[in-house]
Amino acid sequence: MTLAKYIPVLEWGRSYNRENFSNDMIAAVIVTIMLIPQSLAYALLAGLPPEAGIYASIAPIVLYAIFGTSRALAVGPVAVVSLMTAAAVGQVAQSGTMGYALAALTLAFLSGVFLLAMGVFKLGFLANFLSHPVIAGFITASGILIAASQLKHILGVAAGGDTLIEVIETLVAHLGDTNPATLAIGVSATGFLFWVRKGLKPRLRAAGLGPKMADVLTKAGPVAAVVLTTVLTWGLGLADHGVAVVGAVPQSLPPLTMPSFSPELLKQLLIPALLISIIGFVESISVAQTLAAKKRQRINPDQELIGLGAANIGAAFTGGYPVTGGFARSVVNFDAGAETPAAGAYTAVGLAIAAVALTPLVFFLPKATLAATIIVAVLSLVDFSILKKTWGYSRADFFAVAATILLTLGFGVETGVSAGVILSIGLHLYKTSRPHVAEVGLVPGTQHFRNINRHTVETLPSILSLRVDESLYFVNARFLEDLIQDRVTQGCAIKHVILMCSAVNEIDYSALESLESINRRLKDLGVGLHLSEVKGPVMDRLRKSHLLAELNGRVFQSQYDGWRSLTGAPRPLPDAVA
């Protein structure tokens, strides 16, 4: 059982049966059909040879099946990580060179090491420093950037750039070089894939097909686009008329490769690898937890880090590049009935067969078709509704989302994700630096205390009751100190201050010193400082300090006890207690 905790396959593998095998095989067939064109397309997005996408989808899937905890997550290349790979590796090597491929392997290795280390040391909580609104903004901007970057393949022109402005400028500059045949294929494939995504399934259902078969045929839409455009390009000899094709793809299993251990290269890729690790883990864990919740299964975030780390290290030694759990393929895997991670292993077998037997068939596959596959996939990630939602709910979150989108589009993905991390942490610090502190009073006829600005309550000029709705630590300690000082100097009739600590889960040393300072100042003013409803763990820490011994007041079990004691009110009869 101890070993199974770190190698989950030993746990679910013991109960594996024929029904699991049948469901996993069906799911594997469906996901394999989907992954073949998708893997080729994402490798193109990363600036790598198309076979790198297939290689990155074989060993990583198997390794995740062994070490991962999600029973539906499908690991492999994804759009955002592919874009981040292109941005990172493009800074250290020229696309199409051996140095570029070596840098991609090294990036996968570094990412795997980071993820593995985070899992071993149980640092999965670090991903929480990226807030959901900021992640949504980054993914939306990345989707736009990815779609724009693929227009060069749709038009058949040479263009590039790391930002939206650069991409648009180069596209406009080369617009006159548009290849009509490439444009026709790209636009047709894009339109067809959009129609497949939205309109094919209802038509198949109306024609009498069952839901599962209709779903399979819909998911096979990209394969149909690949087959049709490949046959068309071959039959009409469009490659001789300027239509860019995939060309020769090695007909082999993933090769054994070795990442670079050059100190200079490792230094250059260190930060990008860390950012890719964080973004990849956040995307993966959110998908895994969503799907697991539907079957009341449990995901272990720290073990997920180990599984993803192993997958990335596997990619580094088998000709791949950084990978993570993909949203689209994982949902397909789940909907197709995958019962265990073995479905991923069977998918890897299917992809291995494709790598050995089917790669010659994609020689005449137009790059415009792969670009169309990417565009249709990533535009589903674009969600501007997050701006409207955050504007109505929290202006601070809105500005964080808007800033992330603008910085990603204007300065590239690395700047965008770095800004996202900084904004998420900054937003948290800003919110907690100004905690909600409510002045409370007694609700008549009860023992409950509520905000004086929201309820009709009883108060006394001599007692100031404050409810602190946040843990106290170095960021907000001075805020509370200043608030009490201002309030006491304004109300000269105040003789007692009661801090209601029911929502305080932590008091760090800086906050402790602030409380000691508050206590000294109030003592000099002849005002008592009292605490109420202090939680056990917090009280345990306070007992180790000098605060309680020097406290210019008392500690009450409840706010009502403090109120009754300081006002001299009689204890209510049992039937009067609310």
Side-chain angles (χ1 to χ4, degrees):
M1 289 302 293
T2 302
L3 192 59
K5 181 180 178 181
Y6 298 100
I7 308 178
V9 66
L10 299 177
E11 182 179 349
W12 58 261
R14 289 199 306 269
S15 58
Y16 199 72
N17 55 40
R18 183 175 296 180
E19 184 180 354
N20 294 147
F21 174 77
S22 175
N23 292 333
D24 287 344
M25 280 298 295
I26 293 172
V29 169
I30 295 172
V31 174
T32 301
I33 292 171
M34 174 188 179
L35 271 185
I36 292 173
Q38 196 179 75
S39 299
L40 297 172
Y42 287 153
L44 182 72
L45 175 59
L48 292 162
E51 64 269 18
I54 294 180
Y55 296 161
S57 302
I58 297 177
I61 295 179
V62 175
L63 287 167
Y64 178 81
I66 295 171
F67 294 102
T69 59
S70 172
R71 303 200 173 196
L73 192 70
V75 172
V78 299
V80 173
V81 171
S82 297
L83 178 65
M84 294 178 72
T85 298
V89 178
Q91 295 178 3
V92 299
Q94 182 69 35
S95 181
T97 64
M98 287 296 294
Y100 191 95
L102 182 62
L105 295 174
T106 306
L107 190 64
F109 176 76
L110 280 175
S111 180
V113 169
F114 278 131
L115 289 165
L116 202 59
M118 289 170 66
V120 170
F121 293 105
K122 302 188 182 302
L123 300 178
F125 69 90
L126 291 176
N128 297 333
F129 286 111
L130 267 177
S131 69
H132 174 73
V134 165
I135 294 170
F138 173 73
I139 290 177
T140 291
S142 297
I144 296 171
L145 202 54
I146 291 169
S149 71
Q150 295 307 296
L151 291 177
K152 63 182 179 183
H153 297 296
I154 299 293
L155 299 173
V157 301
D162 295 326
T163 69
L164 185 62
I165 295 173
E166 291 174 355
V167 171
I168 292 174
E169 284 180 346
T170 54
L171 283 173
V172 171
H174 293 88
L175 206 55
D177 302 329
T178 300
N179 183 287
T182 301
L183 180 63
I185 290 174
V187 171
S188 300
T190 304
F192 172 74
L193 291 173
F194 271 120
W195 175 77
V196 165
R197 183 175 285 252
K198 298 291 184 181
L200 180 59
K201 189 172 181 178
R203 296 230 176 162
L204 293 174
R205 295 286 289 123
L209 284 180
K212 182 163 278 190
M213 181 56 68
D215 193 55
V216 170
L217 292 177
T218 301
K219 297 298 188 300
V223 177
V226 165
V227 172
L228 289 173
T229 56
T230 300
V231 171
L232 190 66
T233 303
W234 169 72
L236 299 179
L238 296 181
D240 298 328
H241 294 82
V243 174
V245 297
V246 168
V249 176
Q251 192 174 355
S252 68
L253 292 172
L256 290 176
T257 53
M258 183 69 69
S260 171
F261 296 101
S262 163
E264 183 62 28
L265 182 60
L266 293 174
K267 181 180 177 182
Q268 290 176 300
L269 295 177
L270 200 64
I271 299 302
L274 180 61
L275 296 177
I276 285 174
S277 300
I278 294 173
I279 289 294
F281 174 63
V282 169
E283 180 177 353
S284 180
I285 196 68
S286 60
V287 175
Q289 289 178 334
T290 299
L291 297 179
K294 294 183 178 182
K295 289 191 174 183
R296 298 188 178 185
Q297 294 169 350
R298 181 178 174 273
I299 298 297
N300 183 338
D302 293 319
Q303 186 61 35
E304 282 296 289
L305 283 165
I306 293 174
L308 292 173
N312 276 277
I313 291 174
F317 287 95
T318 55
Y321 66 98
V323 297
T324 192
F327 176 76
R329 70 171 67 97
S330 297
V331 171
V332 171
N333 197 37
F334 180 86
D335 290 342
E339 293 286 346
T340 72
Y346 302 150
T347 299
V349 173
L351 289 171
I353 293 172
V356 172
L358 302 181
T359 49
L361 302 179
V362 300
F363 184 95
F364 288 102
L365 170 60
K367 290 186 176 180
T369 303
L370 295 180
T373 302
I374 294 172
I375 290 171
V376 174
V378 300
L379 286 183
S380 65
L381 303 176
V382 176
D383 178 20
F384 284 111
S385 68
I386 190 68
L387 291 170
K388 181 180 179 181
K389 293 172 183 175
T390 52
W391 177 263
Y393 187 76
S394 168
R395 297 296 167 87
D397 282 327
F398 168 80
F399 287 117
V401 172
T404 303
I405 291 175
L406 292 175
L407 287 169
T408 302
L409 294 177
F411 296 95
V413 290
E414 285 192 20
T415 301
V417 71
S418 299
V421 173
I422 294 170
L423 285 169
S424 294
I425 296 173
L427 196 60
H428 170 73
L429 293 177
Y430 172 76
K431 289 177 178 178
T432 57
S433 69
R434 302 179 62 82
H436 181 258
V437 180
E439 184 172 347
V440 297
L442 179 65
V443 178
T446 74
Q447 296 183 22
H448 300 301
F449 285 77
R450 294 292 184 268
N451 193 325
I452 64 171
N453 296 320
R454 296 176 179 271
H455 301 272
T456 301
V457 293
E458 296 176 4
T459 60
L460 288 174
S462 61
I463 298 179
L464 174 63
S465 294
L466 298 176
R467 189 188 68 225
V468 183
D469 293 335
E470 183 68 66
S471 291
L472 297 175
Y473 68 120
F474 66 96
V475 172
N476 59 26
R478 188 59 185 267
F479 174 82
L480 180 64
E481 194 173 336
D482 293 340
L483 185 148
I484 292 176
Q485 180 70 16
D486 292 343
R487 186 67 179 82
V488 170
T489 53
Q490 289 174 6
C492 57
I494 295 175
K495 297 300 180 184
H496 300 281
V497 174
I498 309 177
L499 292 183
M500 185 176 177
C501 302
S502 53
V504 177
N505 296 317
E506 178 73 24
I507 297 177
D508 75 355
Y509 191 77
S510 297
L512 175 65
E513 289 189 328
S514 286
L515 288 175
E516 291 174 344
S517 177
I518 292 169
N519 182 58
R520 286 193 297 269
R521 291 183 185 181
L522 292 181
K523 187 175 182 179
D524 292 340
L525 294 172
V527 177
L529 175 63
H530 310 273
L531 306 177
S532 74
E533 302 188 15
V534 182
K535 294 185 175 179
V538 177
M539 182 59 76
D540 292 340
R541 299 283 292 276
L542 292 180
R543 288 195 181 102
K544 299 176 182 178
S545 70
H546 298 291
L547 177 65
L548 297 183
E550 299 173 359
L551 190 65
N552 182 37
R554 297 166 57 188
V555 178
F556 298 103
Q557 187 171 1
S558 71
Q559 183 72 10
Y560 183 75
D561 285 344
W563 172 273
R564 185 179 57 79
S565 176
L566 296 175
T567 60
R571 181 178 294 277
L573 296 174
D575 59 357
V577 177

